[in-house]
Amino acid sequence: MTRTTGVDGAEALAILGPDETALVQELDRTFLGWAGAAGAREISPPPLYPVTDLEKFDVYANFPHLAFVAGPLDLAGREGKPVDGRFAGGDLQDGRYGLPHATCYGAYLFYEGTKVSETEIVSLVNRCFRSEDHYSGLRRLASFQMREIVALGSFEHTQEVVSRFTERILAFSGELGLGLEKEAAIDPFFQNDGARALLQKLSPVKYEFQHGTLAIASVNTHRNFFGERCDIRFGDGKEFAYTSCVAFGLERWLAVLTEVHHGDLPAALAAVRAAADRAG
């Protein structure tokens, strides 16, 4: 059983029960296994970052509608108690920490100021946070878990990783009988008036894997955007690293599998294990 909670009656947050947790863990083990087979090493990011770090990636220029920020309570002359279920802006000190809406930021910050191989690959999982105009339980949450596999190095390497994991996602979802559709998606990831934004319009850099209207995974090409912003270089150190990533929204996979198996979570868990074995 999943319990949901949120502000003003919204199903914005989920407490997963034992069966749901077991299924999510099995999914994550599967995706992590794919990463390990590709030579990825695991890193562990924090759940929030200094705003100055996220600002490097134009998060607040391109995704202000999704942003959550955090700061300590201002206790000068106050009791530190909420009124009517909330703290007002005047009760808070400056919001100097940002809650990320994507997991992969941790990888670029980890490698900041370094030189990587031409075929670097890492994996990480984190809590992500998004301020949405509406929530709908596991399908759209304010806080959710995202597993990502991030490639850094040469452009050819980043594209090979995207191609390889596109095949794995389609094979795995096919074994599960999900019938995912690969659809080009346009996020305002790059500044709208920049050269990268024009390139994105001419050649999509993000593809989503959708079950109905719900995207549960994606593959993303960033070219050398993050390499430049974090001064990550590769090879002889003269060129900024290219990056790409593969993302899995774990609660969204849970939502789809719960629906497909009509709420029979042990059956869904068995199906995931069998599909992972068959898909290799």
Side-chain angles (χ1 to χ4, degrees), residues 167-179:
E167 293 177 0
R168 297 213 73 156
I169 291 168
L170 291 174
F172 179 60
S173 63
E175 292 290 346
L176 284 169
L178 299 186

Side-chain angles (χ1 to χ4, degrees), residues 96-117:
R96 299 176 66 182
Y97 285 96
L99 284 69
H101 68 267
T103 291
C104 60
Y105 296 142
Y108 316 126
L109 293 168
F110 175 75
Y111 283 105
E112 186 170 21
T114 69
K115 187 173 75 170
V116 298
S117 72

Side-chain angles (χ1 to χ4, degrees), residues 44-60:
S44 300
L48 74 172
Y49 299 95
V51 164
T52 50
D53 278 345
L54 296 180
E55 192 174 21
K56 295 173 187 174
F57 308 141
D58 297 335
V59 166
Y60 303 110

Side-chain angles (χ1 to χ4, degrees), residues 26-53:
E26 188 65 31
L27 286 163
D28 192 44
R29 277 192 292 268
T30 298
F31 303 142
L32 181 57
W34 297 354
R41 297 183 298 164
E42 179 85 354
I43 62 174
S44 300
L48 74 172
Y49 299 95
V51 164
T52 50
D53 278 345

Side-chain angles (χ1 to χ4, degrees), residues 69-278:
V69 294
L73 290 173
D74 184 351
L75 299 179
R78 297 182 175 85
E79 296 184 22
K81 294 182 178 180
V83 176
D84 295 328
R86 69 193 65 207
F87 289 103
D91 296 327
L92 306 174
Q93 297 181 31
D94 292 344
R96 299 176 66 182
Y97 285 96
L99 284 69
H101 68 267
T103 291
C104 60
Y105 296 142
Y108 316 126
L109 293 168
F110 175 75
Y111 283 105
E112 186 170 21
T114 69
K115 187 173 75 170
V116 298
S117 72
E118 293 191 7
T119 57
E120 195 78 14
I121 182 168
V122 295
S123 186
L124 59 169
V125 66
N126 205 358
R127 281 278 169 185
C128 297
F129 303 84
R130 296 184 182 180
S131 176
E132 303 276 14
D133 58 7
H134 72 282
Y135 297 104
S136 55
L138 294 175
R139 298 175 66 89
R140 187 177 295 272
L141 291 163
S143 175
F144 57 94
Q145 300 169 84
M146 182 186 292
R147 162 67 62 183
E148 295 213 39
I149 301 161
V150 180
L152 309 93
S154 70
F155 183 71
E156 292 75 16
H157 167 60
T158 65
Q159 296 311 286
E160 190 277 329
V161 168
V162 164
S163 177
R164 181 191 314 179
F165 282 94
T166 293
E167 293 177 0
R168 297 213 73 156
I169 291 168
L170 291 174
F172 179 60
S173 63
E175 292 290 346
L176 284 169
L178 299 186
L180 298 185
E181 296 290 337
K182 179 185 173 185
E183 299 288 347
I186 295 180
D187 284 341
F189 189 81
F190 304 125
Q191 291 282 6
N192 290 333
D193 58 352
R196 289 189 180 91
L198 176 59
L199 182 61
Q200 176 172 310
K201 292 175 182 177
L202 296 174
S203 178
V205 297
K206 179 185 181 77
Y207 287 92
E208 294 178 338
F209 299 89
Q210 298 182 350
H211 183 266
T213 60
L214 184 66
I216 63 176
S218 66
V219 291
N220 307 267
T221 296
H222 320 119
R223 300 194 65 81
N224 53 11
F225 175 81
F226 289 110
E228 290 179 357
R229 294 300 174 93
C230 287
D231 189 23
I232 307 168
R233 299 173 185 264
F234 77 101
D236 60 7
K238 296 180 180 179
E239 191 173 357
F240 291 114
Y242 294 85
T243 66
S244 66
C245 69
V246 186
F248 305 90
L250 297 179
E251 281 85 355
R252 290 190 175 191
W253 280 82
L254 172 59
V256 167
L257 287 167
T258 300
E259 175 187 326
V260 168
H261 290 273
H262 308 289
D264 188 342
L265 294 176
L269 179 61
V272 166
R273 288 173 175 165
D277 288 341
R278 290 194 299 269

